[in-house]
Amino acid sequence: MTLDAVFDVVVVGAGHAGCEAACAAARMGASVGLITLHRETVAQMPCNPAIGGIGKGHLVAELDALGGIQGWAADRAGIQFKVLNRSRGPAVWGPRAQCDKARYTVLVRRLLEGLPGICLVEGEVVGLVTSDARVTGVRLADGRRIGGVTTLLTTGTFLGGVLTSGSRRRPGGRYGERPSIGLGDELRGLGLERRRFKTGTPPRLARSSLELERLGEQRGDEPPRPFSWRSRAVANRVSCWVTRTPELVQSIIEDNLHRSPLFAGAIEGVGPRYCPSIEDKVVRFPHHREHTVFLEPEGLASESIYVNGLSTSLPEDVQRAVVRSVPGLERAEFLRYGYAVEYDVVSPGEVDRGLACRRVPGLALAGQLLGTSGYEEAAALGFVAGVNAVLAGRGEAPLVIGRDEGYVGVLVDDLVTRAHVEPYRIFTSRAEHRLLLGVDSARERLMARGVELGLVPVRAFHVEQGRWEARHKVRAELETTGLNPDRETRDRIRCAIGIELVAPTSWAGLLRRPDVDPERAVAAAPGLAALEAEDRRALVGGLRYDGYLARHQREVDRIRRLRHVPIPADLDPCRIPGLSREVVEQLERHRPATLAAAEALPGMTPAAVAILAGRLARLGTAG
């Protein structure tokens, strides 16, 4: 069979997953054919104009530490930077960047076009090329055949995509683009298990038609925090605004539910539980008579405002009535109406931890095609799949990040080993050891892996390493600098940080107190002034949570020690308190030989692994 081009890796789809995969593979030395319908839509942000958030920001930080590009692009396209969840501990803070969508796309496209080893191919993939039961490339609609040692599908919402707004249904992968039909048929022919999911998007409004001065203004953090080690500074350039729907919106939607495709049965796909449409909120939470709405600019030069919180597929006249009932939006002009997208996904149980198909050699999957929801989850999966495609071609072991090492590992493990019936979204609550996985520690946890892969320059790693070492040195000094409550010291501490010193302690002991502002202590506490603000924040966070961190680390170490210890053949799961019925059934059915084998079972939760590890420890099976 004649091929028009042959690459080490063929990536189908140039969304966030495909771009991460292509960049990682090319920078590792592979030749990459990146196939997209249109060059102009590379790395498009078809839904919200932001990168990061709670849980998602952790993924972006970890990707950046490993050598990914999403954080780099978000910093350069960012127009507002804010850390969410600040009222809680630093382990669950969620950095978020509001982006200029057009600039984000241009930045990533230029990066792809300038990377040696990447060939950007415009075309529609309609099928797969196979040889001896192995996928060896793809067929394009114009007849071209593109070969690859590994073919990676990152098709997003395009497989069998249908757009719905009211009674209007039309084929489409996203607004203005046709879906992929032939490729979906081929996947069905390969016997891969598929599901039907749904996502949605809100209306876009003309900024000039809104009375923003009546709404609550939300500014970015000062100083703003960048995602990437490549970025020394970023800037806030816009505000966002917040308002709330009045009770009238509840009545409008209730009166028109019979016209909602979601509740009239026109939409069959399962949507994300944690990001429901406004009509879904009204039905599911009838006691909530008001709902928060955020107005987010889609770019510096753009008139478009993204109405976060009003995702909907209601008919256009109902959308107008709903939006114009919201304070400040009474004269809103629509640039685009909201709509729902139904699409096919492949069950993530079809891939291994390296994201290669278990039953179809030569084929790998990543992104929303595996049932995830969000740019960040897609990018993380694309990165893992792209790296592992190269490692597989070299005959090397795959990149597998543990659940205790990063949210990237939690994401992959959750998808591959646990059943999901709705689009998967990362949350900090999904990580059983989340105190160990804060954003501030992402580089220290994972940057060395990026260096090993050849994706992070050694020089950059040494710079960051120097910062960690300086932080640890200052911490040691704070721990050992004693403070006795004599008159002079009491006056000095009162003047510096505004508290009364009543008992002997150290500077570390003072900084552990939640009522002490560490920035006020910079001038007085030894070593703090020499650190950057980001390093001071990480140091103080470590001081305040070190007891919890130590406990979590002991639990991680215990499970690691027990992971390959044999499980006694006569161990009765029914007699282990705390295990769910599903877990008990899996243990009885499969009888895993070790804790590591038990971890890999479908439905085996982190809590269940900890319970089983505790039982093995009490039985003394570790010797």
Side-chain angles (χ1 to χ4, degrees), residues 83-359:
V83 175
L84 309 183
N85 225 17
R86 273 199 182 275
S87 62
R88 303 182 65 189
V92 294
W93 288 352
R96 185 176 189 262
Q98 196 78 18
C99 293
D100 185 314
K101 296 172 75 166
R103 177 162 171 74
Y104 188 97
T105 294
V106 169
L107 282 166
V108 177
R109 186 177 71 240
R110 287 177 179 171
L111 176 65
L112 294 170
E113 292 172 340
L115 270 179
I118 293 182
C119 178
L120 202 56
V121 180
E122 286 188 307
E124 179 185 358
V125 175
V126 295
L128 301 173
V129 177
T130 59
S131 177
D132 297 326
R134 180 184 180 87
V135 172
T136 56
V138 297
R139 292 182 286 109
L140 305 187
D142 60 10
R144 286 178 292 168
R145 295 173 181 265
I146 311 295
V149 177
T150 297
T151 298
L152 171 58
L153 304 184
T154 65
T155 52
T157 59
F158 278 73
L159 284 191
V162 175
L163 311 183
T164 302
S165 181
S167 60
R168 185 183 178 194
R169 288 173 61 83
R170 60 193 186 280
R174 60 189 175 208
Y175 185 83
E177 295 191 65
R178 62 184 183 274
S180 173
I181 302 299
L183 184 56
D185 292 339
E186 292 241 352
L187 293 180
R188 185 184 299 111
L190 291 173
L192 298 180
E193 180 185 349
R194 299 199 304 172
R195 299 168 185 166
R196 190 75 170 166
F197 279 177
K198 174 196 83 80
T199 189
T201 191
R204 275 36 163 214
L205 306 179
R207 175 174 178 153
S208 59
S209 68
L210 310 180
E211 298 178 74
L212 299 176
E213 66 278 1
R214 292 173 50 196
L215 308 183
E217 184 178 10
Q218 294 193 316
R219 298 185 178 185
D221 293 340
E222 290 296 344
R225 168 183 179 151
F227 278 112
S228 181
W229 51 265
R230 306 168 181 90
S231 307
R232 301 319 301 169
V234 292
N236 289 312
R237 305 178 69 181
V238 300
S239 290
C240 297
W241 297 269
V242 62
T243 183
R244 290 183 68 81
T245 62
E247 288 197 25
L248 177 58
V249 165
Q250 193 96 353
S251 300
I252 293 171
I253 292 175
E254 288 173 345
D255 291 344
N256 286 277
L257 278 179
H258 63 286
R259 301 178 62 196
S260 163
L262 183 62
F263 292 98
I267 292 178
E268 299 177 358
V270 179
R273 186 191 334 167
Y274 302 104
C275 188
S277 64
I278 184 63
E279 55 266 40
D280 203 13
K281 293 181 196 176
V282 166
V283 172
R284 286 168 53 188
F285 312 111
H287 54 290
H288 291 171
R289 307 303 292 180
E290 296 181 347
H291 300 278
T292 304
V293 176
F294 299 95
L295 302 173
E296 302 173 345
E298 295 203 307
L300 289 177
S302 174
E303 172 79 344
S304 181
I305 295 290
Y306 181 89
V307 191
N308 194 340
L310 283 185
S311 177
T312 183
S313 58
L314 287 163
E316 293 179 1
D317 62 308
V318 182
Q319 291 191 39
R320 287 193 297 272
V322 166
V323 167
R324 291 173 181 170
S325 299
V326 177
L329 313 186
E330 291 89 347
R331 290 192 288 273
E333 295 297 329
F334 284 69
L335 300 178
R336 183 189 302 172
Y337 289 92
Y339 62 90
V341 187
E342 287 183 276
Y343 55 98
D344 290 336
V345 302
V346 175
S347 167
E350 294 284 2
V351 298
D352 60 23
R353 292 175 189 268
L355 303 185
C357 273
R358 301 177 191 270
R359 297 189 288 165

